Amino acid sequence: MTPTTSLSRNNLLHAAVALLLSLLAGAAMAYSSWFLGDNGPYFVVAGILGLMLAFAILINWRLGAYALAAVLPFEGLLTYGADTSGIKVLGFLTYSSIALTLLRDPVLFGRFRTLPNQPLFWGVAAFSFWSATSTFWANNQELALIKTATFVGLLGLTITVGLLEKRQLVLMWGLMASSAVLSVPLGYLLPAASERILVSGRFTSGGNDPNDYAGLLVIVFFVVFYGLTRQLPGSARLVLILPVLVGVLLSQSRTALIMLAVAPLFALLIPGTARRSARFTLPLYAIGGGVFAILVYSIPSLGEIASERYSILSQYQSENTWSGRLDIWQGALQTIQSHPILGVGSGNFSEVISADSSSTPYLGSVQQSVTVAHNMLLSVASELGLVGLAVFSFVVFSALRQASALTRGNVTLGMGLLLGVVAYLIGGMALTWEYTKISYFLYGSVLALSLRTAQEGSTREIATRGTRR
């Protein structure tokens, strides 16, 4: 049998399989209304596209990383319950594809073996392990298992992003930024997003909480605006600034506004990066002020709401400024005092704080059930104890230290990641963000760039030794 004959038979086999699948898809479309109602054809099309995406991810795991980044601003629309979401399905497919690729790709396996050389990797792994260990003493083990599964999935996300090359990281963050920009106009068009806007009275998109959504916009903006300066022209960065600022202002998120205003100042304080960051930071403040003035002038009602909401930031002694967070934090501190070392168990903060809500006026009279601590450090300390807080602090410190090292090595994307981690820390002081996915995109990106820098350093060292000999 000649190679040409074998090739022809393979082509015929592929054509036959494609024809059979086309016939099945056509039949499903024709009879879908009988089984799925009037929206049957849409479900069939969505199912076919989903199967095609799953097949593509299983062939190339990097497509899974890109898909996870692209759908992140719309995460709320893909959530169908406490433990079911499209994000988890994408993650499972991506991790399965990575596992299969590691078995046959020695290059990727070699890169995977070098990830444990970095402290940040062990910090994220230890945090997931400690969350799993807390299941043994948690009052509600079901909640502990659900949150532990989340942390294990986030460890997989960190590894996935950490295995990407630099050019692939740039593409991933570019896709996430494009998706974030599109989410702003889609906020008023998507049914679930519009419904949440009507309920909360604040702008959001993708079915997300307004504060979480605005914080995501800010972090993605910093990474791309400061980190992709060589890949993006000035006009593209301007296009990015406008929708992000509009989304933040319309969301009325005071936390996101503080992140946007304060985080760039840290870039001016970092030795070796102050001059480079100044040429981006000063125009950012100028454009931000201009956009805010235009919005207030164009939409007077927005100006009144924004003025009322943001002006109380100066009234730090008022309970309205903190929206009940002072009482929640007091309850968290009481929980830490009663369970200082081990905590109450991962995901069990809501169980404990709801039982003690009568001890604080705000919790007892306004909120029937408090589910989060609105401070990631207090949340970690109350659920995982001081041991968990030490591990989590090590994770954040390692991310800051390695991102700072990248900026000293003149890695442009490193500056964006450093500003992203700083903004994440600022937002985490008022939000429960220890399990937010964007932070693990940051951790994985820092791992990937640190690994690349270490490999380049080893290559230069070997070349130098060869030259001396």
Side-chain angles (χ1 to χ4, degrees), residues 39-118:
N39 294 325
Y42 299 104
F43 289 115
V44 171
V45 170
I48 292 174
L49 292 177
L51 290 175
M52 292 174 61
L53 177 61
F55 182 71
I57 291 175
L58 290 175
I59 293 177
N60 188 344
W61 63 271
R62 295 173 183 85
L63 296 177
Y66 301 149
L68 287 169
V71 302
L72 188 60
F74 304 98
E75 179 182 3
L77 298 180
L78 302 176
T79 301
Y80 312 109
D83 54 355
T84 306
S85 70
I87 291 279
K88 292 183 178 179
V89 174
L90 278 177
F92 176 78
L93 289 172
T94 304
Y95 307 155
S96 301
S97 180
I98 290 176
L100 294 174
T101 306
L102 287 173
L103 296 176
R104 65 176 188 272
D105 188 347
V107 176
L108 183 66
F109 184 75
R111 187 176 178 86
F112 175 77
R113 289 183 60 185
T114 58
L115 285 179
N117 295 335
Q118 303 186 55

Side-chain angles (χ1 to χ4, degrees), residues 72-322:
L72 188 60
F74 304 98
E75 179 182 3
L77 298 180
L78 302 176
T79 301
Y80 312 109
D83 54 355
T84 306
S85 70
I87 291 279
K88 292 183 178 179
V89 174
L90 278 177
F92 176 78
L93 289 172
T94 304
Y95 307 155
S96 301
S97 180
I98 290 176
L100 294 174
T101 306
L102 287 173
L103 296 176
R104 65 176 188 272
D105 188 347
V107 176
L108 183 66
F109 184 75
R111 187 176 178 86
F112 175 77
R113 289 183 60 185
T114 58
L115 285 179
N117 295 335
Q118 303 186 55
L120 179 57
F121 171 84
W122 286 112
V124 176
F127 190 62
S128 300
F129 173 78
W130 185 248
S131 174
T133 305
S134 71
T135 305
F136 291 104
W137 59 80
N139 291 332
N140 190 326
Q141 293 186 338
E142 182 180 357
L143 291 178
L145 287 173
I146 291 174
K147 197 162 186 178
T148 295
T150 298
F151 284 128
V152 172
L154 292 173
L155 173 61
L157 177 61
T158 304
I159 295 174
T160 299
V161 179
L163 292 174
L164 295 174
E165 300 286 346
K166 182 180 178 181
R167 66 181 184 278
Q168 296 161 354
L169 282 178
V170 171
L171 176 59
M172 182 194 73
W173 283 103
L175 288 172
M176 192 185 299
S178 301
S179 184
V181 169
L182 288 175
S183 70
V184 177
L186 290 177
Y188 288 106
L189 300 177
L190 296 173
S194 301
E195 181 180 352
R196 184 134 195 177
I197 293 174
L198 293 175
V199 172
S200 65
R202 298 165 57 187
F203 175 80
T204 185
S205 185
N208 298 306
D209 176 81
N211 289 320
D212 292 337
Y213 172 70
L216 173 66
L217 289 181
V218 173
I219 293 174
V220 173
F221 168 73
F222 280 139
V223 174
V224 176
F225 185 77
Y226 285 90
L228 303 185
T229 56
R230 296 178 181 176
Q231 289 80 11
L232 294 177
S235 58
R237 290 197 298 273
L238 179 62
V239 171
L240 177 65
I241 290 175
L242 295 178
V244 169
L245 288 176
V246 169
V248 170
L249 293 175
L250 291 177
S251 72
Q252 304 175 37
S253 173
R254 293 167 293 182
T255 302
L257 185 68
I258 294 174
M259 292 165 58
L260 195 60
V262 176
L265 298 177
F266 282 85
L268 301 176
L269 301 176
I270 300 173
T273 63
R275 181 180 300 179
R276 184 173 48 174
S277 62
R279 61 192 182 98
F280 299 111
T281 301
L282 297 179
L284 172 62
Y285 285 137
I287 295 174
V291 171
F292 182 78
I294 292 173
L295 286 175
V296 171
Y297 180 79
S298 304
I299 312 176
S301 59
L302 174 63
E304 295 177 2
I305 296 174
S307 176
E308 178 182 355
R309 188 166 180 82
Y310 295 137
S311 63
I312 63 175
L313 286 174
S314 60
Q315 305 171 13
Y316 59 89
Q317 295 179 340
S318 173
E319 177 62 39
N320 292 330
T321 302
W322 303 99

